[in-house]
Amino acid sequence: MITSRRMAAVDLNAEALGVPRKQLMESSGNAVARACRDLADPGASVAVVAGRGNNGGDALAAARFLKAYDVTVHLLGRPETISTDIARENWDALVAGEADHRTVTDSAGFDLGDPDLVVDAMLGTGVTGALREPEATAARAINDSSATVLAVDVPSGVDADTGDAAGLAVDADRVVTFHDDKPGLGDLDCEVVVADIGIPEAAELFTGPGDLLALDRDAQSHKGDHGDVLVVGGGPYTGAPALAAQSALRAGADLARVACPEAVAREVQGYSENLIVRGFSGDRLAPEHVPDLLDFAADRDAVVFGPGLGDADESLAAVREFLAAYDGTAVVDADALQVVPDVDTEATLICTPHQGELRKMGGETDSDWEVRSDLVREFAADLGHTLLVKGAYDVVSDGDAVRVNRTGNPGMTVGGTGDVLAGATGALAALLAAEAFGGGLVATDLLERLPAALRGDEA
Ligand SMILES: NC(=O)C1=CN([C@@H]2O[C@H](COP(=O)(O)OP(=O)(O)OC[C@H]3O[C@@H](n4cnc5c(N)ncnc54)[C@H](O)[C@@H]3O)[C@@H](O)[C@H]2O)[C@H](O)CC1
Ligand SMILES: [K+]
């Protein structure tokens, strides 16, 4: 099952792995033609009703594989309005090949005829809102016809993620959808066939440029939209919390605050005027600080716990008490990690251990990244939290899905990169908690974005 947003990311990852979109469209077209051959005998009349996007492009490619049929292609719109190069190239090839093609520029001009089979390729995952014209008139004509209806990827008008239709939608007999089933197709009263279009498994397993799509910022956003991050750390070390907080800003947080012992507050503030530093009494975190910290954290979008905190018993006791009472989103790193396995919490935790810290948490690791992936997934499932285990190949899992980031380099073992990663991860968590997901953030929503944090990419 894959959402449209994830499909777009996988599509882009496939391209980065050397499988360009036009090749995917050719595979989709071939899959559509196979479905046509399954639904209608050679010589049958086929009406391809194509939209101006890649959904239409798939069917324009399919038409080339249907030589044994009497195919008429209806393009809903002028050819120059076709929205992608790959779809337009498929249209141009049809025209050059003297295929029977028509362009429909207004509803009155649409005449479906009386085909044996209709290929509905007006709209796929790019639909927004109720069908406009001439798609609406075409959908009514398709639904009123006696033809068998094959929908490309998703029946036009249906939202592939929810199965809902904002208004009129094509009533298909069969849907041929690509790469993986879509959440919104399960409840449709039609047969759904999933066609493999040659997207490499690596496009889903390994992080790539597609995973950054979700970080595109809403241009209208304003301060505070993109998350307010609190780093709780410092004590024996002062650079770590400052690194984590600055990394949060670099990764897109609007505000980065540091709660650290009074004894080092001035030093931490000294690292950067961009940080809002707040000291708590004494020279290390202790249980008496927890009530205030919980109040302070309640108004933040995400907390990063641990950079430079040290492992004094009273500091670890304070981490345990905080997490037991906290129900927001927290990244847990460094010495605070050892507390996680034995604390029962409502919080959404993202733990960012290196392999030594993973073992200290009670997890197992392995030098083979594939074996390590299974071990991390199992341990994340046991913990009930997301794990991001750093290594030459970083493994991210929420106990269900697994993603692997192989873009690191040996130089990243230098001290401080863990603090940078924890801060960047906190920013992405804050962005999601504050905006796109409201309170409904679930760990898997982060999975696709954490790898971007591994690279400390600017959002
Ligand atoms: N990722 C993959 O696996 C592949 C998907 N393919 C196919 O690509 C479509 C998605 O294509 P896209 O261009 O993004 O969008 P659509 O073609 O679905 O529609 C965009 C098109 O439609 C217009 N439009 C939007 N809403 C409406 C509306 N309510 N009424 C009328 N017109 C509307 C919009 O203006 C655009 O012009 C996917 O479904 C697959 O079929 C790839 O080909 C293969 C890999
Ligand atoms: K469609």
Side-chain angles (χ1 to χ4, degrees):
M1 202 71 89
I2 193 165
T3 64
S4 306
R5 186 178 59 185
R6 184 83 193 111
M7 198 65 239
V10 167
D11 212 335
L12 201 51
N13 286 350
E15 194 157 45
L17 290 166
V19 184
R21 282 200 164 114
K22 186 160 186 186
Q23 206 168 314
L24 294 180
M25 182 171 280
E26 195 73 3
S27 301
S28 298
N30 203 335
V32 169
R34 275 199 306 278
C36 291
R37 285 195 284 274
D38 199 30
L39 291 170
D41 296 329
S45 54
V46 179
V48 171
V49 185
R52 298 178 302 286
N54 282 340
N55 192 248
D58 294 344
L60 297 175
R64 272 185 286 109
F65 293 85
L66 293 171
K67 298 178 190 60
Y69 291 80
D70 171 18
V71 178
T72 304
V73 178
H74 304 260
L75 176 67
L76 300 189
R78 296 191 319 282
E80 54 275 18
T81 62
I82 294 175
S83 55
T84 66
D85 291 346
I86 56 176
R88 189 172 323 103
E89 286 157 14
N90 275 297
W91 169 259
D92 292 345
L94 280 181
V95 172
E98 299 292 326
D100 179 355
H101 62 280
R102 307 179 183 169
T103 55
V104 179
T105 47
D106 66 59
S107 322
F110 181 69
D111 175 7
L112 183 64
D114 182 22
D116 299 310
L117 174 66
V118 171
V119 175
D120 159 31
M122 298 191 284
L123 290 160
T125 53
V127 68
T128 49
L131 290 185
R132 300 190 291 271
E133 288 300 346
E135 285 78 7
T137 297
R140 268 190 291 278
I142 291 168
N143 290 348
D144 293 345
S145 78
S146 57
T148 303
V149 180
L150 169 67
V152 175
D153 205 26
V154 57
S156 296
V158 170
D159 178 322
D161 292 336
T162 63
D164 300 334
L168 178 65
V170 166
D171 184 10
D173 296 296
R174 182 181 296 186
V175 180
V176 57
T177 195
F178 306 119
H179 180 66
D180 197 351
D181 204 352
K182 307 296 187 305
L185 300 181
D187 297 335
L188 295 181
D189 177 18
C190 65
E191 189 193 358
V192 177
V193 172
V194 178
D196 185 342
I197 57 172
I199 290 178
E201 255 184 294
E204 286 203 80
L205 174 63
F206 293 114
T207 58
D211 298 287
L212 299 177
L213 287 177
L215 302 183
D216 289 347
R217 280 194 162 194
D218 168 2
Q220 274 70 45
S221 63
H222 53 275
K223 185 169 271 314
D225 261 7
H226 291 288
D228 179 342
V229 175
L230 167 64
V231 174
V232 181
Y237 307 98
T238 60
L243 265 177
Q246 293 186 80
S247 166
L249 291 171
R250 288 279 186 216
D254 279 344
L255 295 168
R257 305 169 196 265
V258 178
C260 63
E262 194 57 65
V264 296
R266 288 175 61 78
E267 210 168 325
V268 173
Q269 183 67 76
Y271 286 109
S272 163
E273 60 279 63
N274 297 321
L275 306 183
I276 306 161
V277 179
R278 178 171 167 159
F280 44 76
S281 59
D283 61 4
R284 64 169 55 111
L285 180 67
E288 78 249 25
H289 302 133
V290 171
D292 276 355
L293 271 181
L294 283 167
D295 290 345
F296 194 39
D299 298 331
R300 317 279 72 90
D301 295 310
V303 175
V304 177
F305 235 108
L309 203 60
D311 61 356
D313 290 348
E314 60 179 343
S315 299
L316 296 185
V319 176
R320 194 174 288 111
E321 276 183 37
F322 180 95
L323 293 182
Y326 183 58
D327 62 359
T329 305
V331 176
V332 184
D333 188 37
D335 293 308
L337 283 163
Q338 54 196 294
V339 161
V340 170
D342 58 22
V343 75
D344 191 12
T345 175
E346 295 298 311
T348 299
L349 298 188
I350 303 149
C351 303
T352 56
H354 53 58
Q355 295 181 55
E357 288 162 336
L358 178 74
R359 278 191 288 272
K360 230 169 141 184
M361 291 173 74
E364 283 179 75
T365 184
D366 190 284
S367 55
D368 177 317
W369 68 269
E370 289 181 279
V371 174
R372 187 159 75 246
S373 295
D374 286 340
L375 292 170
V376 169
R377 184 172 38 72
E378 285 159 23
F379 190 49
D382 292 347
L383 280 178
H385 297 299
T386 294
L387 280 171
L388 187 165
V389 180
K390 297 170 278 193
Y393 277 30
D394 307 298
V395 177
V396 189
S397 179
D398 62 350
D400 178 21
V402 175
R403 303 298 310 286
V404 177
N405 176 68
R406 52 186 180 175
T407 62
N409 65 63
M412 290 180 76
T413 52
V414 67
T417 50
D419 303 314
V420 168
L421 169 67
T425 306
L428 299 179
L431 184 147
L432 289 163
E435 209 173 39
F437 292 84
L441 176 76
V442 292
T444 38
D445 290 319
L446 289 172
L447 266 185
E448 297 152 18
R449 292 155 191 79
L450 286 185
L454 291 170
R455 288 189 298 277
D457 285 316
E458 290 230 336

